[in-house]
Amino acid sequence: MSTTSSAVLVEPRRIDLQTFTLPEIGPDAALVRVEATGICGSDWAPYNGTWMTELPPLILGHEVVGEVVAIGPEATKRWGATEGDRVVVEESVPCNACRLCRTGRYHMCDPLHNKVGLRYGLTPVDLAPHLWGGFGEYMYVHPRSIVHRMSRSVPVEQAPLFIPLSNGIRWVERDGGTRVGDTVVIFGPGQHGLGCVIGARLAGAGTIIMVGTGRDANRLAVAKELGAHHVVNLEDAPVAEQVAALTNGELADVVVEVTSGAPGVLRDAVDCAGVGATVVVAGTREMQLATNFAPDAMLFKELTLKGVYGHDYLSVRRAIRLIESGTEPLDKLCTHTFSLNEVDHALRTLGGEGEAGAIHITVVPGS
Amino acid sequence: MSTTSSAVLVEPRRIDLQTFTLPEIGPDAALVRVEATGICGSDWAPYNGTWMTELPPLILGHEVVGEVVAIGPEATKRWGATEGDRVVVEESVPCNACRLCRTGRYHMCDPLHNKVGLRYGLTPVDLAPHLWGGFGEYMYVHPRSIVHRMSRSVPVEQAPLFIPLSNGIRWVERDGGTRVGDTVVIFGPGQHGLGCVIGARLAGAGTIIMVGTGRDANRLAVAKELGAHHVVNLEDAPVAEQVAALTNGELADVVVEVTSGAPGVLRDAVDCAGVGATVVVAGTREMQLATNFAPDAMLFKELTLKGVYGHDYLSVRRAIRLIESGTEPLDKLCTHTFSLNEVDHALRTLGGEGEAGAIHITVVPGS
Amino acid sequence: MSTTSSAVLVEPRRIDLQTFTLPEIGPDAALVRVEATGICGSDWAPYNGTWMTELPPLILGHEVVGEVVAIGPEATKRWGATEGDRVVVEESVPCNACRLCRTGRYHMCDPLHNKVGLRYGLTPVDLAPHLWGGFGEYMYVHPRSIVHRMSRSVPVEQAPLFIPLSNGIRWVERDGGTRVGDTVVIFGPGQHGLGCVIGARLAGAGTIIMVGTGRDANRLAVAKELGAHHVVNLEDAPVAEQVAALTNGELADVVVEVTSGAPGVLRDAVDCAGVGATVVVAGTREMQLATNFAPDAMLFKELTLKGVYGHDYLSVRRAIRLIESGTEPLDKLCTHTFSLNEVDHALRTLGGEGEAGAIHITVVPGS
Amino acid sequence: MSTTSSAVLVEPRRIDLQTFTLPEIGPDAALVRVEATGICGSDWAPYNGTWMTELPPLILGHEVVGEVVAIGPEATKRWGATEGDRVVVEESVPCNACRLCRTGRYHMCDPLHNKVGLRYGLTPVDLAPHLWGGFGEYMYVHPRSIVHRMSRSVPVEQAPLFIPLSNGIRWVERDGGTRVGDTVVIFGPGQHGLGCVIGARLAGAGTIIMVGTGRDANRLAVAKELGAHHVVNLEDAPVAEQVAALTNGELADVVVEVTSGAPGVLRDAVDCAGVGATVVVAGTREMQLATNFAPDAMLFKELTLKGVYGHDYLSVRRAIRLIESGTEPLDKLCTHTFSLNEVDHALRTLGGEGEAGAIHITVVPGS
């Protein structure tokens, strides 16, 4: 009976490597050897102890790419994957029975909303078979998981980018409703904001404007390489004025707000929006209240504000095809790679306490 | 050369009856004898001097029903109306050339957004031919006006209800996306909120909940007559808790916020919304900032917030057919009728300074 | 080890009662005692041997209402049902993993499209545990089934109407995009067409026109009781002319074609549609070619044609709530009830070879 | 009083150059000197006498680019253009008052549907001021025209491409609903089909497949230069089989049918469509009946078929910006340029009776 290691968050800001028994895999489940797990901005609050609720010990990591090392026959039929295949596993383990699951919104069926749904990277390590997170050598793949194959041709550190890219495609194209020729303004040049630049370019946006601060020089340069037509420093002048100057006064058709911890940015986002525009709100701020936001501004411009939370099946599938195509300069996003022993350092780098200059951070357990 | 009287708002809170020459009507315009003009909540800010900008002297009144007394041949061909017909005139006089006009959003082409567009009830009385508001014996109908015929069978004081009813239909059905069986929660039992009850019932809502306060007893009773299944007093307990109790914990599919001057209600509206719901924001608060609103709540429930501002062509047409059908107990909405000499009193009644118990107030110049 | 009877279609037009062993129910499945199973128009082709492909022996019946007599703990958690509850079971047993399942279109994941998906009423009786159809005393409920609770207050013969009502709601409201005040024309006054009348009324249609023939007098009378404003006999005059006369020349906003075996009706449906209208095509004709249909007519009126095939989760849920409400005169639809011994006669009645005057036929095994 | 020449279609297949007096331009109209007028496939039926109805003498030509030589002050305010500006004029002169105009569908308000609307290139030359078509030295610009400015940097023969490009963008993106990563199959590599290739590429299609015949070798090569990933000869094998082979059996998400005179192609288009796909029908066939089309195929795949007819405001604006950007190899489309004396030859070239190898043909009156 063989054993394996995973990095367990035992309490806020404390990660321990623990040993687990590899589970037996039944006819409708699978086991993957983790090749790489990306770090998502949403990993910070659990790590830092600032999540909405107190969390039990768990294995973080939900941008998971791995090799199938065991799989049951039912699972093979369902997922079209077999031993040796490389797969990505979405973080949702939805219940498949509720209103959300039955209407294409399975990504909202999770511990926040449903007692049956699970979620990789947020499920207690006590629950058998324990291996519910990507920061480990192996991860269990539950029968209700959403599994996609991915080509081995993708460099391992780029593989987890299916998460920021699928988010970027969904938020800009589907949620923002971006149409050919539109002006798209994106607040926040992190990995997800940069995914939105790609999404906007693919959706045919005529003008893509990335908004950042003076500290974002490197990220803004990457934004331009990925297709942003303009980058704007919000410290230079009111953003709406800068956007107006770049758009002949017409402002944006779509605004995507992907900042972190910024309670005042909704006001800026709304100010950049033209009549009838859509403002996608994807950034979180640990439930801080909006400052300086007048709802009347939504009325007088008939704006639509959309709160979004993750990706859907089609956007993940499209992101995987895009990564496989090799046409995007994704290496520019992959700034840091860490080993399983360095998960704590990796998470602190995400929070600005470790290495400098991070965009996308990957943990490669086998390294 | 015959003359006519209109009630001019010469400065905040001062209305004077003034005399004007009746204009010559060219081949593509018309003149109506005003039969009735409703008072809209949006008349208060101009009257009270709390409009976003300072306003020149003007004739208020934009819920206008009148009899065509002169019309040119081009206008007859365009509008299908002739002398003697009863018509309603939408408040927009759009430019017919901008992006908004060309994409079905002409109601947003007005002095706020466009230098060509005009708007009944907000156009300076100095601009010839002066008769740009419904609080007068006659009103000029500009060639770019939107004109609909209405049957003479409609009681005169009910005729201006095409505005609150078209708003209610558009906000609940089209903007809110209400579907058969949905739970719809409406904040604010004024004339527009009551129009939303009708809109929700027509759209097949399964559960309609009207939210008001202890002062709204009469209006809440009318809401029930119009089809609300439940009325809720927001002073009794947190609204979201009351809505949860009425919906088996599922909360609302659609929330419509139609209050006035309430900076904190957006928070309540968002709290009442279920996962994936739409919150329509129609109430204004003179640009006050939202209090107690955490944008993260939009994300974790993937809410859509829609700012809305008025009606569109189809909703007006549908409201007129509904009024003509005589099937709604619209007399319950028509609480007060005033003559042209009483416009100042009528407006103060709107603002809670005149008669008590007002829901919809109509000025009938000929009375 | 107890046994049970089901009516097996052993070859076209031959039904045998066969005996089966009741299956053991694992932790995530259930067994229902069938209370009633409705007969759907789509049962005719398999019975009659005119299905697209040759079929193995199977138990027909997919409008199933039953009492839970055994259920595993996982299934209880998933479906919220327990022993003694009345439930309806949708006909799809989708794979839960494909693109269709993951985007809310699970009803298209069936034997036609996917090798994993099953379908009640069309699954070979050879496949264990055999009880895959409603025409039997008991039916097996697979873990991937879609299960809804239904109140015991519903008369047993009305309970299976969740299928024609959910279809009617989906086809008219969601697929047709019917809006408040629209004119909706429905071709075919069978059980599904009558469900569409209810759907149209709930969606706020201003004018509902049902089209039938001289043989449909009884059904057309029921259509009027359910809310149709006009009924039209297509033998009297070209339907489009009759619709034009009833709509002031504006024709229909939404047309729903729910006839059976009529290759020429698409032409009539298109002729009744106004500029920009939607034509929902729900009727089947065993792959016969359209006659007299000019695609250019779609262009010159910018029509949308939508092929539809069954219901979705929300429409079923809404139909169940509607049936439970007891507000519809559904007894008018329930013309015939048969026992399990009479399944063959019931199916021939569906095909016009048995009893006369059928609208909706129910098999009640316990009767 | 100065005069000017236009090419009048006096009867089918007979074009005469006629002389007209240049009109006086009132305060809200304009006159343009025609720089170039493209030839559209829809010009053939009027020229050839195979239009749906008999036509009076008229000046054809509705893909018009010109220089403003006279304009009234109202018109300048409305269109933002002044003397010396280059403008394009959409073919519609809508009534601005009907349901279609008021809901963003003004392009359907034309002589087919409305007695007030006019249309460039199809209005009788008898109607003053006569200059209603682009095949002339000058064209009158009616106050209700839709006018866009275009940069002088665009080569004159490319300027009229705003029509096929706006059609391509609208049909593929808005009507087809193409999303990032989709497979788009286009039938017919004419100027509009090639515009659809551009539209599909801009909308982020993952796989673009152009379908033609052996005679289309040159056009198919252009399709590849514009972004088609694959070209398919429908004479090689059933198209659906070829598409299946190129898409791993998944078939198309969006099919656009832009052929001319092909009554059987709808069947092929439907066969290429995957479950839930949209089939846009843009090609005309002079009202010939579809052959070999089984409506049941729409049901079993839940297809949406959309008849489309021209462009809308946003797609024209986007096409103009695209042409101005100079990023597309549009010279590949511009195969033939003729003078005003050669209009008859130009039209016969369109119909395959003149020069060989035509894709887009332009008449340049000043050449």
Side-chain angles (χ1 to χ4, degrees):
Chain A
M1 202 156 67
S2 133
T3 60
T4 184
S5 289
S6 292
V8 178
L9 177 71
V10 291
E11 60 183 53
R13 305 183 70 90
R14 186 173 144 222
I15 301 274
D16 284 354
L17 268 193
Q18 296 189 359
T19 302
F20 299 88
T21 303
L22 281 177
E24 306 257 323
I25 296 303
D28 57 1
L31 184 74
V32 293
R33 182 184 59 74
V34 177
E35 296 188 55
T37 297
I39 295 192
C40 177
S42 68
D43 288 324
W44 179 251
Y47 174 76
N48 193 43
T50 44
W51 186 249
M52 286 164 284
T53 57
E54 201 176 334
L55 292 169
L58 49 79
I59 305 166
L60 286 170
H62 59 267
E63 301 186 350
V64 184
V65 179
E67 179 185 352
V68 176
V69 293
I71 187 163
E74 289 300 313
T76 284
K77 205 156 63 162
R78 184 195 306 124
W79 295 324
T82 186
E83 281 170 37
D85 282 342
R86 176 187 270 186
V87 294
V88 307
V89 184
E90 293 191 37
E91 66 265 49
S92 298
V93 183
C95 78
N96 285 348
C98 71
R99 171 177 72 95
L100 297 167
C101 285
R102 287 301 179 201
T103 57
R105 225 165 183 144
Y106 64 83
H107 68 290
M108 298 299 288
C109 174
D110 69 11
L112 284 176
H113 303 102
N114 185 300
K115 280 164 292 186
V116 176
L118 302 170
R119 193 176 157 93
Y120 288 108
L122 271 182
T123 294
V125 72
D126 278 355
L127 184 73
H130 316 299
L131 306 176
W132 298 108
F135 295 153
E137 293 170 324
Y138 289 88
M139 194 174 83
Y140 173 67
V141 187
H142 187 282
R144 295 198 310 265
S145 297
I146 295 108
V147 172
H148 305 256
R149 295 180 60 179
M150 179 186 269
S151 163
R152 292 223 156 271
S153 67
V154 175
V156 72
E157 70 279 5
Q158 293 183 19
L161 291 171
F162 74 93
I163 295 280
L165 296 194
S166 62
N167 285 338
I169 291 171
R170 179 178 178 236
W171 298 348
V172 174
E173 189 214 30
R174 172 177 154 155
D175 295 318
T178 298
R179 293 181 52 189
V180 169
D182 275 357
T183 293
V184 178
V185 174
I186 301 161
F187 283 77
Q191 54 177 305
H192 284 96
L194 294 170
C196 290
V197 172
I198 294 175
R201 205 194 67 232
L202 292 174
T207 305
I208 304 172
I209 302 171
M210 171 59 86
V211 182
T213 68
R215 297 185 312 279
D216 293 321
N218 179 44
R219 294 173 165 202
L220 294 175
V222 175
K224 290 203 100 168
E225 287 192 69
L226 294 172
H229 301 88
H230 307 282
V231 297
V232 156
N233 183 337
L234 57 78
E235 296 155 344
D236 288 348
V239 183
E241 285 178 21
Q242 297 188 65
V243 169
L246 292 168
T247 58
N248 199 21
E250 297 198 352
L251 297 171
D253 298 293
V254 178
V255 181
V256 191
E257 189 273 280
V258 211
T259 59
S260 176
V265 76
L266 183 59
R267 163 63 179 270
D268 287 315
V270 162
D271 284 350
C272 289
V275 175
T278 296
V279 178
V280 176
V281 182
T284 54
R285 60 228 90 210
E286 297 180 359
M287 295 304 285
Q288 286 180 85
L289 300 180
T291 54
N292 214 16
F293 171 62
D296 286 9
M298 291 175 59
L299 270 78
F300 292 127
K301 295 198 283 191
E302 285 210 330
L303 301 184
T304 297
L305 270 62
K306 284 203 179 176
V308 298
Y309 181 76
H311 31 267
D312 57 10
Y313 184 82
L314 291 179
S315 60
V316 173
R317 208 165 69 149
R318 281 151 185 176
I320 292 169
R321 292 295 95 79
L322 184 69
I323 294 170
E324 291 177 337
S325 76
T327 54
E328 302 289 321
L330 297 178
D331 54 310
K332 298 291 165 47
L333 297 176
C334 298
T335 54
H336 294 79
T337 301
F338 295 98
S339 72
L340 191 54
N341 291 316
E342 299 168 307
V343 165
D344 189 74
H345 189 52
L347 285 161
R348 284 190 287 103
T349 295
L350 170 75
E353 304 176 357
E355 309 289 320
I359 297 179
H360 190 260
I361 303 162
T362 306
V363 172
V364 177
S367 68
Chain B
M1 202 156 66
S2 126
T3 60
T4 184
S5 289
S6 292
V8 179
L9 176 72
V10 291
E11 60 183 52
R13 305 182 70 90
R14 187 174 143 221
I15 301 274
D16 284 354
L17 267 193
Q18 296 188 0
T19 301
F20 299 89
T21 302
L22 281 176
E24 306 257 322
I25 296 304
D28 57 1
L31 185 73
V32 292
R33 181 183 59 74
V34 177
E35 295 188 57
T37 298
I39 296 192
C40 179
S42 68
D43 288 324
W44 178 250
Y47 173 76
N48 192 43
T50 44
W51 186 248
M52 285 165 284
T53 57
E54 200 176 335
L55 292 169
L58 50 78
I59 304 166
L60 286 169
H62 59 266
E63 299 186 351
V64 183
V65 178
E67 180 185 351
V68 177
V69 293
I71 187 164
E74 289 300 314
T76 284
K77 204 154 65 162
R78 183 194 308 123
W79 293 323
T82 187
E83 282 170 36
D85 283 342
R86 176 188 269 187
V87 293
V88 307
V89 183
E90 293 191 37
E91 67 264 49
S92 297
V93 184
C95 78
N96 285 346
C98 70
R99 171 177 72 96
L100 298 167
C101 284
R102 286 303 178 200
T103 57
R105 225 166 184 143
Y106 64 83
H107 68 290
M108 298 298 288
C109 174
D110 69 8
L112 284 176
H113 303 102
N114 184 300
K115 279 164 291 186
V116 177
L118 302 170
R119 194 174 156 94
Y120 287 109
L122 271 182
T123 295
V125 72
D126 277 357
L127 184 73
H130 316 298
L131 305 176
W132 297 106
F135 295 153
E137 294 170 324
Y138 290 87
M139 193 174 83
Y140 173 68
V141 187
H142 186 282
R144 294 198 309 266
S145 297
I146 295 108
V147 172
H148 305 256
R149 294 180 61 177
M150 179 185 269
S151 163
R152 292 224 154 271
S153 67
V154 176
V156 72
E157 71 280 4
Q158 293 184 18
L161 290 171
F162 74 93
I163 295 280
L165 295 193
S166 62
N167 285 339
I169 292 171
R170 179 177 178 236
W171 297 347
V172 174
E173 190 213 30
R174 172 177 154 153
D175 295 318
T178 299
R179 293 181 52 188
V180 169
D182 275 357
T183 293
V184 178
V185 174
I186 302 161
F187 283 77
Q191 55 177 305
H192 285 95
L194 294 169
C196 290
V197 172
I198 294 175
R201 206 194 66 233
L202 293 174
T207 306
I208 305 172
I209 302 171
M210 171 58 86
V211 182
T213 68
R215 297 185 312 279
D216 293 322
N218 178 44
R219 294 172 166 202
L220 294 175
V222 176
K224 289 203 102 168
E225 287 193 71
L226 295 173
H229 301 88
H230 307 283
V231 297
V232 157
N233 183 338
L234 57 79
E235 296 154 344
D236 288 348
V239 183
E241 285 178 22
Q242 297 187 64
V243 169
L246 293 168
T247 58
N248 199 21
E250 297 200 350
L251 297 172
D253 299 293
V254 179
V255 181
V256 191
E257 189 273 280
V258 212
T259 59
S260 176
V265 76
L266 183 58
R267 164 63 181 270
D268 287 315
V270 162
D271 283 349
C272 289
V275 175
T278 297
V279 178
V280 176
V281 182
T284 54
R285 60 228 91 208
E286 297 180 359
M287 296 302 287
Q288 286 180 84
L289 301 180
T291 55
N292 214 17
F293 171 62
D296 287 9
M298 291 174 59
L299 270 77
F300 292 126
K301 295 197 284 190
E302 285 211 328
L303 302 184
T304 297
L305 272 61
K306 285 203 179 175
V308 298
Y309 181 76
H311 31 267
D312 58 9
Y313 184 82
L314 290 179
S315 61
V316 172
R317 207 165 70 149
R318 281 153 185 174
I320 291 170
R321 292 295 96 79
L322 184 69
I323 295 171
E324 290 177 338
S325 75
T327 54
E328 303 289 322
L330 297 178
D331 53 311
K332 298 289 164 49
L333 296 177
C334 299
T335 54
H336 295 79
T337 303
F338 295 98
S339 73
L340 191 54
N341 290 317
E342 299 168 308
V343 166
D344 190 73
H345 190 52
L347 285 162
R348 284 189 287 104
T349 295
L350 169 75
E353 305 176 357
E355 310 289 320
I359 296 179
H360 190 261
I361 304 162
T362 307
V363 172
V364 177
S367 67
Chain C
M1 200 157 66
S2 121
T3 60
T4 184
S5 289
S6 292
V8 179
L9 177 72
V10 292
E11 60 183 52
R13 306 183 70 91
R14 184 172 146 224
I15 302 274
D16 283 354
L17 267 193
Q18 297 188 359
T19 301
F20 299 89
T21 302
L22 281 176
E24 306 258 321
I25 296 303
D28 57 1
L31 184 73
V32 293
R33 181 183 60 76
V34 177
E35 297 187 55
T37 297
I39 296 191
C40 178
S42 68
D43 288 324
W44 179 251
Y47 173 76
N48 193 43
T50 44
W51 185 250
M52 285 164 285
T53 57
E54 200 175 335
L55 292 169
L58 48 79
I59 305 166
L60 286 170
H62 59 268
E63 301 186 349
V64 184
V65 178
E67 180 185 352
V68 177
V69 293
I71 187 164
E74 289 299 314
T76 284
K77 204 156 63 163
R78 184 194 308 123
W79 294 323
T82 187
E83 282 169 36
D85 282 342
R86 176 187 271 187
V87 295
V88 307
V89 184
E90 294 190 36
E91 66 264 47
S92 297
V93 183
C95 78
N96 285 347
C98 70
R99 172 177 71 97
L100 297 167
C101 284
R102 287 301 179 201
T103 56
R105 224 163 185 145
Y106 64 82
H107 68 290
M108 298 298 288
C109 174
D110 69 11
L112 283 177
H113 303 102
N114 185 300
K115 279 164 290 185
V116 177
L118 302 170
R119 194 175 156 94
Y120 288 109
L122 272 182
T123 294
V125 73
D126 278 355
L127 185 73
H130 315 298
L131 305 176
W132 297 107
F135 296 152
E137 293 170 324
Y138 289 88
M139 193 174 83
Y140 173 68
V141 187
H142 186 282
R144 294 199 309 267
S145 297
I146 295 108
V147 172
H148 306 255
R149 294 180 60 178
M150 179 186 269
S151 165
R152 291 224 156 272
S153 67
V154 176
V156 72
E157 71 279 5
Q158 292 184 19
L161 290 171
F162 74 93
I163 296 278
L165 295 194
S166 63
N167 285 339
I169 291 171
R170 179 179 179 235
W171 297 347
V172 174
E173 189 213 30
R174 172 176 155 156
D175 295 319
T178 298
R179 293 181 53 188
V180 170
D182 275 357
T183 293
V184 178
V185 173
I186 301 161
F187 283 77
Q191 55 176 306
H192 284 96
L194 295 170
C196 290
V197 172
I198 294 175
R201 206 195 66 232
L202 293 174
T207 306
I208 305 172
I209 302 171
M210 171 59 85
V211 182
T213 68
R215 297 185 313 280
D216 293 320
N218 179 44
R219 294 171 166 202
L220 294 175
V222 175
K224 291 203 101 169
E225 287 191 70
L226 294 173
H229 301 87
H230 307 283
V231 297
V232 156
N233 183 337
L234 58 77
E235 296 154 343
D236 289 348
V239 184
E241 284 178 22
Q242 296 188 65
V243 169
L246 292 168
T247 57
N248 199 20
E250 296 199 352
L251 297 172
D253 299 293
V254 178
V255 181
V256 190
E257 189 273 281
V258 211
T259 59
S260 177
V265 76
L266 183 59
R267 164 62 179 271
D268 287 315
V270 162
D271 284 349
C272 289
V275 175
T278 297
V279 178
V280 176
V281 182
T284 53
R285 58 229 91 207
E286 297 179 359
M287 295 304 286
Q288 287 180 82
L289 301 180
T291 55
N292 214 16
F293 171 62
D296 287 9
M298 291 175 59
L299 271 78
F300 292 126
K301 296 199 283 191
E302 285 210 332
L303 301 184
T304 297
L305 271 62
K306 285 202 179 177
V308 298
Y309 181 75
H311 31 268
D312 57 11
Y313 184 82
L314 291 179
S315 60
V316 173
R317 207 165 69 149
R318 283 153 184 173
I320 291 169
R321 292 296 94 78
L322 184 70
I323 294 170
E324 291 177 338
S325 75
T327 54
E328 303 289 322
L330 297 178
D331 53 311
K332 298 289 166 46
L333 296 177
C334 299
T335 54
H336 294 79
T337 302
F338 295 97
S339 72
L340 192 54
N341 291 317
E342 300 168 308
V343 166
D344 189 74
H345 190 52
L347 285 161
R348 284 190 286 104
T349 295
L350 170 75
E353 304 176 358
E355 309 290 319
I359 297 180
H360 189 261
I361 303 162
T362 306
V363 172
V364 177
S367 65
Chain D
M1 202 156 67
S2 131
T3 60
T4 184
S5 289
S6 292
V8 180
L9 176 71
V10 291
E11 60 183 50
R13 305 182 71 91
R14 186 172 144 222
I15 302 275
D16 284 354
L17 268 193
Q18 296 188 359
T19 301
F20 298 90
T21 302
L22 281 177
E24 306 257 323
I25 296 305
D28 58 1
L31 185 74
V32 293
R33 181 183 60 74
V34 177
E35 295 188 56
T37 297
I39 295 192
C40 178
S42 67
D43 288 324
W44 178 252
Y47 173 75
N48 192 43
T50 44
W51 187 249
M52 285 164 285
T53 57
E54 201 176 335
L55 292 168
L58 49 79
I59 305 166
L60 286 169
H62 59 267
E63 300 186 350
V64 184
V65 179
E67 179 185 352
V68 177
V69 294
I71 187 165
E74 289 301 314
T76 284
K77 205 156 63 163
R78 183 194 308 123
W79 294 324
T82 187
E83 283 170 35
D85 282 343
R86 176 188 269 187
V87 293
V88 307
V89 184
E90 292 191 37
E91 67 265 47
S92 297
V93 184
C95 78
N96 285 346
C98 70
R99 171 177 72 96
L100 297 167
C101 285
R102 287 302 178 199
T103 57
R105 224 165 184 145
Y106 64 83
H107 68 290
M108 298 297 289
C109 174
D110 69 8
L112 283 176
H113 304 100
N114 184 300
K115 280 164 289 186
V116 177
L118 302 170
R119 194 175 156 94
Y120 288 109
L122 271 182
T123 295
V125 73
D126 278 356
L127 185 73
H130 316 298
L131 306 175
W132 297 107
F135 296 152
E137 293 171 323
Y138 290 88
M139 193 175 83
Y140 174 68
V141 187
H142 186 281
R144 294 198 310 266
S145 298
I146 295 109
V147 172
H148 305 257
R149 294 180 60 178
M150 179 185 268
S151 163
R152 292 224 155 270
S153 67
V154 175
V156 71
E157 71 280 6
Q158 293 184 18
L161 290 171
F162 74 92
I163 295 280
L165 295 194
S166 62
N167 285 339
I169 291 171
R170 180 179 179 236
W171 298 347
V172 175
E173 189 212 30
R174 173 177 154 155
D175 295 318
T178 298
R179 293 181 53 189
V180 169
D182 275 357
T183 294
V184 179
V185 173
I186 302 161
F187 283 77
Q191 54 177 307
H192 285 95
L194 294 170
C196 290
V197 172
I198 294 175
R201 207 194 65 233
L202 293 174
T207 306
I208 305 172
I209 302 171
M210 171 58 85
V211 182
T213 68
R215 297 186 312 280
D216 293 321
N218 179 44
R219 293 171 167 203
L220 294 175
V222 176
K224 289 203 103 169
E225 287 192 69
L226 295 173
H229 301 88
H230 307 283
V231 298
V232 156
N233 183 338
L234 57 78
E235 296 154 344
D236 288 348
V239 183
E241 285 177 21
Q242 297 188 65
V243 169
L246 293 168
T247 58
N248 200 19
E250 297 198 352
L251 297 173
D253 299 293
V254 179
V255 181
V256 191
E257 188 274 280
V258 212
T259 60
S260 177
V265 76
L266 183 58
R267 164 63 180 271
D268 287 315
V270 162
D271 284 349
C272 289
V275 175
T278 297
V279 178
V280 176
V281 182
T284 54
R285 60 228 89 209
E286 297 179 1
M287 295 303 287
Q288 286 180 83
L289 301 180
T291 55
N292 214 16
F293 171 63
D296 287 9
M298 291 174 60
L299 270 78
F300 292 126
K301 295 198 283 190
E302 285 211 329
L303 302 183
T304 297
L305 272 61
K306 284 201 179 177
V308 298
Y309 181 76
H311 32 268
D312 58 10
Y313 184 82
L314 291 179
S315 61
V316 172
R317 207 166 69 149
R318 283 153 183 172
I320 292 170
R321 292 295 96 78
L322 185 69
I323 295 171
E324 291 177 338
S325 76
T327 54
E328 303 289 323
L330 297 178
D331 53 311
K332 299 289 165 49
L333 296 177
C334 299
T335 54
H336 294 79
T337 302
F338 295 98
S339 72
L340 191 54
N341 291 317
E342 300 168 307
V343 166
D344 189 74
H345 189 52
L347 285 162
R348 284 189 288 104
T349 295
L350 169 75
E353 304 177 358
E355 310 288 320
I359 297 180
H360 191 260
I361 304 162
T362 306
V363 172
V364 177
S367 66

